[in-house]
Amino acid sequence: MITLLAAVLSGIMFYLAQGYDHVWALVWLAPVPLLWLAYGNTPTWQVVGASAIALLGGAGYILQSPYLHLIPPLVLTSVLVVDVGLFCVAVGFARFVQRRASPLLTLFAFPACWTVFEFLIELHSPNGTYGSLAYSTMSAPVLIQGASLLGMYAVTFLICLFANTLAMALRLKRNAAAVGLGLAICAANLVFGIVRLAHPQPDVLRVAGIVDETAVADSWRAKTVSADLAVTETYAREIRAAAREGTRFVVTPEGGMASTPAGQSTIVAPLVAAARDTGVQIIAGFHSETPAADFALAIAPDGRIQRYDKRHPVPGLEGDFTPGHVPGWLGDGRAMEICKDMDFPDTIRSDAAKGVRLVGVPAGDMGIDGWQHGIMSVMRGVEGGFSIVRAAHDGLVFASDAQGRLVALKKDAPAGLTMIVADLPLGSGPTLYARIGNAFPWLCGIFALALGAGLPAWRRLRSAALLPSLEN
């Protein structure tokens, strides 16, 4: 009964923290019941079963996903099997180390193991880092600042470390030093977050995110150059209105306007005129049917146009799009990306390393997942040291600073205009993570491998050393 209760309790906490309910604090507690079981006398098969039940329960929010019908059942099953299996291995690894090593090594076993597993899973996933524990804490910017040093995997590690510290405090004896160290590391992360959030941000730019759902619908119905032109004229008027409020950087939604290669100059002309007349830099989301493309156009105040094609089309939904391969760097500390590109830290880090301070992100969501997907972009800003303006149809329109704070936020209205205008502090530029990349999860992997392989070897050496004295 205790085993089942632990599984259900952990599963509920994972579900509420990782799904669409955003109860972020629970993710720091969710692994505790499972680790408490692992460090006791519960049979290993029951610990593994409880871990599997908990993670499957936590993943139940996927059944609410608007993307569910796009995922082949075999693919969904294989993903869940891998995730659940590796999580069970991580909990089992913690038990293995606890029975063979000191409390200090036990303290880091589970955090290191799950961090590297999460990294390896997401390194090869077509959905990037979707589902990471780290995103559950985006509502508490003070706790995620470590991502600027070691990436989002530092946040995953800290979540697991805190949970492991609590489990050890509840279960194990003679481990005051390990528990104290775990709490000290978590406290240091909190202090670092407070200091980083208090850092002055002197460079401010007035920005706007604009989504017009009526215009978006019109763009997908449009089949002629004149119909496409009517949509860009609508956005041009709205951009001029934002400019009258002092805006100098505007982002519109992914695929919010339509274009054709032959008619593009005519279709884009109202936006070019608006940029020239107002001095606004525009990041405009476009789509085209022939050829199939999902792209953005950056229109400078002098009328220059730069194109960016989405580099990570959504599997099962955008298979007819040819992925882009050119970065979104615009110069002068600015860049553009499109929606799902922000789910891939390595893709964005290569741009951030050039000195990006502000990124415009045309995006599109599916209603219920607006927050869950949008905050993935915010994490990229913390990792890379840049601010973000993200305009998503059927999602959220927001501006966030380089510390992960939302400066302005609106839910996209089902019809008509949604606009935010905000004074957005620009990011400081490349962080330590932007320079060193994924060194931290690889170090976690080396540590876990050394621990897993070294403990049995150490026990054999100790046994061999003791054998002669026993014979004497």
Side-chain angles (χ1 to χ4, degrees):
M1 181 59 71
I2 294 296
T3 301
L4 182 60
L5 182 62
V8 171
L9 183 58
S10 283
I12 290 173
M13 289 192 286
F14 276 129
Y15 175 84
L16 293 175
Q18 288 186 273
Y20 304 124
D21 297 283
H22 321 310
V23 189
W24 67 267
L26 293 182
V27 77
W28 294 74
L29 304 173
V32 173
L34 303 174
L35 293 166
W36 181 84
L37 279 181
Y39 298 148
N41 296 319
T42 304
T44 299
W45 71 268
Q46 291 186 19
V47 174
V48 171
S51 300
I53 291 171
L55 205 66
L56 281 172
Y61 71 89
I62 294 175
L63 299 177
Q64 302 170 254
S65 172
Y67 293 106
L68 185 62
H69 68 284
L70 300 174
I71 307 174
L74 183 60
V75 172
L76 179 61
T77 301
S78 63
V79 168
L80 287 175
V81 167
V82 170
D83 286 0
V84 170
L86 290 180
F87 185 77
C88 292
V89 170
V91 175
F93 181 70
R95 182 186 180 98
F96 168 83
V97 174
Q98 179 261 326
R99 278 157 169 69
R100 293 165 175 80
S102 68
L104 286 175
L105 290 177
T106 302
L107 177 69
F108 296 110
F110 175 70
C113 189
W114 181 246
T115 297
V116 72
F117 279 166
E118 191 177 87
F119 170 64
L120 293 174
I121 290 168
E122 293 156 0
L123 191 65
H124 300 287
S125 170
N127 291 304
T129 53
Y130 184 89
S132 169
L133 292 182
Y135 294 126
S136 303
T137 306
M138 295 305 296
S139 294
V142 71
L143 297 176
I144 63 171
Q145 300 307 308
S148 66
L149 302 177
L150 301 172
M152 61 176 284
Y153 296 103
V155 182
T156 294
F157 182 90
L158 285 164
I159 290 170
C160 295
L161 178 69
F162 181 77
N164 202 33
T165 300
L166 291 186
M168 292 177 67
L170 291 171
R171 174 64 84 176
L172 303 180
K173 298 178 181 179
R174 298 185 301 276
N175 62 355
V179 170
L181 178 59
L183 292 176
I185 293 172
C186 293
N189 177 64
L190 178 62
V191 171
F192 176 71
I194 293 171
V195 171
R196 192 165 190 264
L197 291 179
H199 195 273
Q201 297 176 297
D203 297 331
V204 175
L205 183 71
R206 180 156 286 195
V207 301
I210 298 175
V211 176
D212 190 321
E213 283 290 358
T214 302
V216 170
D218 289 344
S219 77
W220 285 94
R221 287 192 296 262
K223 301 299 179 184
T224 65
V225 170
S226 61
D228 294 337
L229 177 60
V231 175
T232 56
E233 287 174 338
T234 297
Y235 272 105
R237 287 193 297 270
E238 293 163 352
I239 290 168
R240 289 177 185 272
R244 288 194 289 271
E245 297 184 40
T247 296
R248 288 296 173 263
F249 186 83
V250 174
V251 180
T252 71
E254 177 184 13
M257 290 171 266
S259 181
T260 61
Q264 181 167 299
S265 60
T266 299
I267 294 166
V268 177
L271 300 176
V272 174
R276 282 176 169 160
D277 294 345
T278 63
V280 171
Q281 184 174 28
I282 301 169
I283 310 297
F286 277 84
H287 73 272
S288 67
E289 294 183 3
T290 308
D294 185 348
F295 63 98
L297 297 179
I299 304 171
D302 62 4
R304 288 181 296 110
I305 299 175
Q306 182 172 329
R307 173 167 170 155
Y308 171 84
D309 285 86
K310 188 175 186 178
R311 287 182 272 182
H312 295 279
V314 178
L317 185 63
E318 298 175 338
D320 55 340
F321 295 152
T322 301
H325 300 286
V326 178
W329 172 249
L330 298 172
D332 195 27
R334 300 183 186 182
M336 57 179 168
E337 311 286 347
I338 297 178
C339 198
K340 197 167 184 63
D341 294 340
M342 301 295 284
D343 299 357
F344 294 82
D346 287 346
T347 296
I348 305 305
R349 182 169 52 84
S350 64
D351 292 349
K354 298 176 182 177
V356 174
R357 303 180 67 195
L358 175 64
V359 175
V361 184
D365 295 318
M366 290 190 175
I368 190 173
D369 75 331
W371 172 260
Q372 191 184 53
H373 194 212
I375 57 174
M376 297 174 72
S377 297
V378 179
M379 179 65 86
R380 300 290 85 77
V382 178
E383 290 174 337
F386 53 80
S387 300
I388 296 167
V389 182
R390 185 180 189 267
H393 62 79
D394 199 18
L396 301 178
V397 186
F398 66 76
S400 61
D401 68 9
Q403 285 71 40
R405 293 172 290 201
L406 293 172
V407 178
L409 170 69
K410 282 186 180 180
K411 173 70 176 69
D412 174 36
L417 175 66
T418 302
M419 180 189 298
I420 61 162
V421 176
D423 293 320
L424 181 63
L426 301 180
S428 59
T431 59
L432 177 65
Y433 171 72
R435 295 181 174 92
I436 68 172
N438 294 316
F440 179 70
W442 286 120
L443 285 174
C444 287
I446 292 170
F447 173 80
L449 279 174
L451 201 56
L455 286 177
W458 173 247
R459 287 173 64 88
R460 287 194 296 270
L461 286 173
R462 288 184 62 187
S463 298
L466 288 173
L467 186 58
S469 62
L470 291 176
E471 291 176 344
N472 292 331

